Amino acid sequence: MIVWSGWGFLVAVFYVVGFLIGMPVGSLVSADPNTATAVSFVCAGLVAGLGSFLLARQIETGEGRAFIDEATQQRIVVRKHAGSLFFVPTRYWAYAAPVLGIALAVLMMTSPPSGSVAAEPAAIQAPPVAGAPVVVEAAVQTS
């Protein structure tokens, strides 16, 4: 379940777009699928952070509406709010998204590949059995 208010859902859209941009970049960087996916997560975090920053700056700049509290005669300025995603304001996702992308990349790089079994050596030679003849090949050099 995704919880957002205002324009906060765009943070998730920025993350998906960044991941889609990062997939070809990751395949160019490395042939290893884990490394390529890790690069995609980093790109997604950076794009989501930049997009969130620009979105919040665009929406939250400008003049606010000023109100005066009649009881205290205090001036209160109200400005537009860019919204939130998972109860985190959009302006803070500019910092949280790159950290999340890097954390996911590190997690991807440190986890074993999915569906793989422990690596076994290609050729395992059995130890010689007691009493079995041992064949030794020696190179003879003639002069």
Side-chain angles (χ1 to χ4, degrees):
M1 179 164 65
I2 299 175
V3 181
W4 79 86
S5 70
W7 293 98
F9 71 94
L10 286 179
V11 175
V13 172
F14 293 148
Y15 209 93
V16 170
V17 168
F19 190 77
L20 292 176
I21 290 171
M23 285 182 3
V25 171
S27 65
L28 288 174
V29 169
S30 175
D32 178 37
N34 279 349
T35 305
T37 306
V39 169
S40 299
F41 280 131
V42 171
C43 286
L46 293 175
V47 168
L50 179 64
S52 300
F53 173 76
L54 295 175
L55 175 72
R57 189 173 83 171
Q58 181 66 31
I59 291 175
E60 294 177 354
T61 58
E63 292 287 323
R65 293 187 61 187
F67 296 99
I68 298 178
D69 187 9
E70 292 180 3
T72 61
Q73 295 299 315
Q74 211 174 20
R75 185 172 186 250
I76 301 170
V77 178
V78 178
R79 296 195 170 145
K80 290 181 183 177
H81 180 59
S84 64
L85 178 68
F86 295 116
F87 309 108
V88 177
T90 304
R91 70 173 108 39
Y92 297 131
W93 277 105
Y95 308 107
V99 171
L100 181 64
I102 291 169
L104 287 173
V106 168
L107 183 66
M108 177 60 76
M109 293 297 292
T110 58
S111 67
S114 61
S116 69
V117 207
E120 295 181 21
I124 298 177
Q125 294 181 348
V129 179
V134 177
V135 178
V136 177
E137 294 179 22
V140 178
Q141 190 176 29
T142 59
S143 350

